[in-house]
Amino acid sequence: MHRKPDGSWDKSNLPSRHVTEGPARAPHRSYYYAMGLGSREIAQPLVGVASCWNEAAPCNTALMRQAHAAAEGVKAAGATPREFCTITVTDGIAMGHEGMRASLASREVIADSVELTMRGHSYDALVGVAGCDKSLPGMMMAMLRLNVPSVFLYGGSILPGRLDGKDLTVQDVFEAVGQFSAGQITEERLCQVEQHACPGDGACGGQFTANTMAMVSEAIGLALPLSSALPAAYLDRDQYARASGEAVVRLIEQNIRPRDICTRKAFENAAVVIAASGGSTNGGLHLPAMAHECGIEFTLRDFAEICARTPYIADLKPGGRFVAKDMGEAGGTPMLLKTLLEGGYLHGDVMTVTGKTLAENVADVKWRDDQEVIRPVSNPLSPTGGVVGLWGSLAPDGCITKVAGLKHTKHRGPARVFDGEEACFAAVTARDYKEGDVLVIRYEGPKGGPGMREMLSTTAALYGQGVENIALVTDGRFSGATRGLCIGHVGPEAAVGGPIALVKDGDIISIDADAGTIELEVDPIELEHRAHLLAQEEPRRTHYQSGAIWKFAQSVGPAHLGAVTHPGAAAETHVYADI
């Protein structure tokens, strides 16, 4: 316990003692006086309140308001908040061009920048507010790396747009581009869709990566129950922000840290929730990266095995009918957790930021028959999860696909090979492909891209053109908004000589998402010959020979281990929380 009976704090084991205690720290304290703090506030724990606020996209525009509310909660509970911001790269705007190379790298920059701010100023705890695809895992990675008491808060989803009496999301806009290129809609209709799809603050409204990782934050125990449910535009969200600030102070008192919460069992729970909700394939990238921060080996294979035994029960877009607002109104993540727990799919004995176990958190949650979003586990949309891992001669390290709502789960056809997304997008836009093809986009992996871009522009254009008898395979990534038979994260990637680098036009590729296999039907001796010829060629160079994306490419590891950029907790000789 860090709190004394009189309500004051014993900081002898808290990081902030290094900047607030003793005569030698008078210069440090002078800075705090300059910012309006008094001696009492300086003597309290210092809590970093980090947000990814910016004006890059609506995902982030409501975060500052909620960070201020979290700071109020910290103050009310008797600690001293210190607000700061970090970056975001927003995939909806980065999508389909060179900007997407910055996306995955931004996850590392977010984690690194939060770590450096916390380390540099010796803060004792962290409330992290995030709203975009990479900012959620990046913020949680920082929490696990630092291992100070931490509470995560999602900034909330966007409300659905409305046009002609139907809900719209940004996915509809991407697919409308394909419909326009196919001559199915007019340019005027395309303009109507783009102008109505996104009505205000908040992250993309389907079960895309942001909402997937928001559910993860609750399922893994780092966020307060139901804190992900309300859309960003609802001012009632601020109550959860204040409660998050209060909760982190209780965690300081109880010395409950993120690695006490995020155990192996907690990561398994997170994977179950992704599978049960038809969540983003990016979950198979971010969970291994988060586990890496606390010394737990949790790979793509671990993730896929859990998905294979989890029923798909939340009927959410892109594969289903409902948006995030509907999910919240149906009972949100706690309702989903209670249903899965009663079905025997979750570990109920894991600790959470409430100071209670997951089972205790959902003990009073009652099933509601008046909602259609969440099915009972006895009546799932499908008996196995919405995300599937595949292994085989084309992907010895594995790859991943989203099958939620998908009928076309098997495919065998000739390869059509593209070195980079732009060439494939041009071919799709011009309808320069045949039904039955397997479109292969390579040199888009973490190192080879560099940056492991998402391919939503291409996949949405295909879907908008109404083509179903086709598959797309890449060593890059897919947006959580992708639907159709699209296989990503193929490893080893082309840039390190993986089999995907050896594919030629016309080679037969066989995909079976039900069996979890992906095979390149080429004689092994022929592949050895191709590999020998490839090794004689000059190493492939990208345009990124300096700067942040070059730096990312030098250090990034393989996708099946989370595309991480440092040795992780396994190599630690100290933990920040114990400095």
Side-chain angles (χ1 to χ4, degrees), residues 272-273 276 310-311 313 335-346 377:
V272 167
V273 164
T310 303
I313 60 171
M335 176 79 81
L336 183 65
L337 292 174
K338 181 68 175 279
T339 307
L340 290 165
L341 183 64
E342 289 182 341
Y345 293 97
L346 293 176
V377 292

Side-chain angles (χ1 to χ4, degrees), residues 126 128 139-148 150-152 258:
L126 175 62
M139 191 67 76
M140 289 187 274
M141 286 162 66
M143 293 173 173
L144 292 163
R145 187 184 302 176
L146 294 160
N147 204 32
V148 291
S150 301
V151 176
F152 179 84

Side-chain angles (χ1 to χ4, degrees), residues 394-444:
L394 185 60
D397 287 347
C399 53
I400 195 166
T401 188
K402 187 171 185 173
V403 294
L406 188 65
K407 295 181 181 137
H408 180 52
T409 56
K410 297 181 183 179
H411 190 92
R412 183 176 181 274
R416 180 85 187 280
V417 182
F418 302 92
D419 290 349
E421 186 195 12
E422 284 82 1
C424 186
F425 183 67
V428 168
T429 303
R431 298 187 70 98
D432 181 19
Y433 59 85
K434 296 186 179 69
E435 289 213 26
D437 282 351
V438 179
L439 307 181
V440 177
I441 305 177
R442 63 189 178 193
Y443 294 106
E444 290 286 7

Side-chain angles (χ1 to χ4, degrees), residues 541-575:
R541 286 170 65 86
T542 73
H543 295 304
Y544 297 88
Q545 296 302 309
S546 66
I549 296 173
W550 174 87
K551 194 185 298 183
F552 175 80
Q554 305 315 299
S555 57
V556 70
H560 73 285
L561 301 179
V564 295
T565 56
H566 68 107
E572 282 177 348
T573 56
H574 90 286
V575 179

Side-chain angles (χ1 to χ4, degrees), residues 506-573:
D507 288 348
I508 300 298
I509 294 174
S510 177
I511 300 158
D512 188 338
D514 299 330
T517 59
I518 182 164
E519 304 292 347
L520 176 59
E521 297 182 8
V522 176
D523 187 280
I525 295 172
E526 167 63 15
L527 290 179
E528 278 184 33
H529 175 65
R530 292 183 192 178
H532 177 73
L533 292 176
L534 183 65
Q536 309 305 309
E537 295 179 10
E538 285 287 316
R540 194 171 183 275
R541 286 170 65 86
T542 73
H543 295 304
Y544 297 88
Q545 296 302 309
S546 66
I549 296 173
W550 174 87
K551 194 185 298 183
F552 175 80
Q554 305 315 299
S555 57
V556 70
H560 73 285
L561 301 179
V564 295
T565 56
H566 68 107
E572 282 177 348
T573 56

Side-chain angles (χ1 to χ4, degrees), residues 279-425:
S280 169
T281 55
N282 282 311
L285 191 71
H286 299 323
L287 287 187
M290 289 168 60
H292 179 74
E293 298 289 356
C294 45
I296 295 169
E297 185 174 295
F298 190 83
T299 68
L300 175 63
R301 190 176 288 275
D302 296 314
F303 176 75
E305 286 174 354
I306 290 166
C307 291
R309 61 175 185 260
T310 303
Y312 166 43
I313 60 171
D315 193 3
L316 296 168
K317 289 177 178 285
R321 294 180 292 161
F322 297 103
V323 295
K325 174 179 176 286
D326 304 319
M327 179 71 186
E329 291 170 352
T333 305
M335 176 79 81
L336 183 65
L337 292 174
K338 181 68 175 279
T339 307
L340 290 165
L341 183 64
E342 289 182 341
Y345 293 97
L346 293 176
H347 305 287
D349 58 349
V350 292
M351 179 56 64
T352 73
V353 291
T354 63
K356 300 176 181 177
T357 65
L358 183 147
E360 289 170 333
N361 285 344
V362 301
D364 295 331
V365 174
K366 299 283 192 292
W367 176 260
R368 283 177 35 201
D369 285 322
D370 64 338
Q371 58 84 31
E372 299 179 56
V373 183
I374 304 167
R375 298 275 198 99
V377 292
S378 58
N379 182 30
L381 291 154
S382 68
T384 59
V387 178
V388 171
L390 305 94
W391 280 262
S393 57
L394 185 60
D397 287 347
C399 53
I400 195 166
T401 188
K402 187 171 185 173
V403 294
L406 188 65
K407 295 181 181 137
H408 180 52
T409 56
K410 297 181 183 179
H411 190 92
R412 183 176 181 274
R416 180 85 187 280
V417 182
F418 302 92
D419 290 349
E421 186 195 12
E422 284 82 1
C424 186
F425 183 67

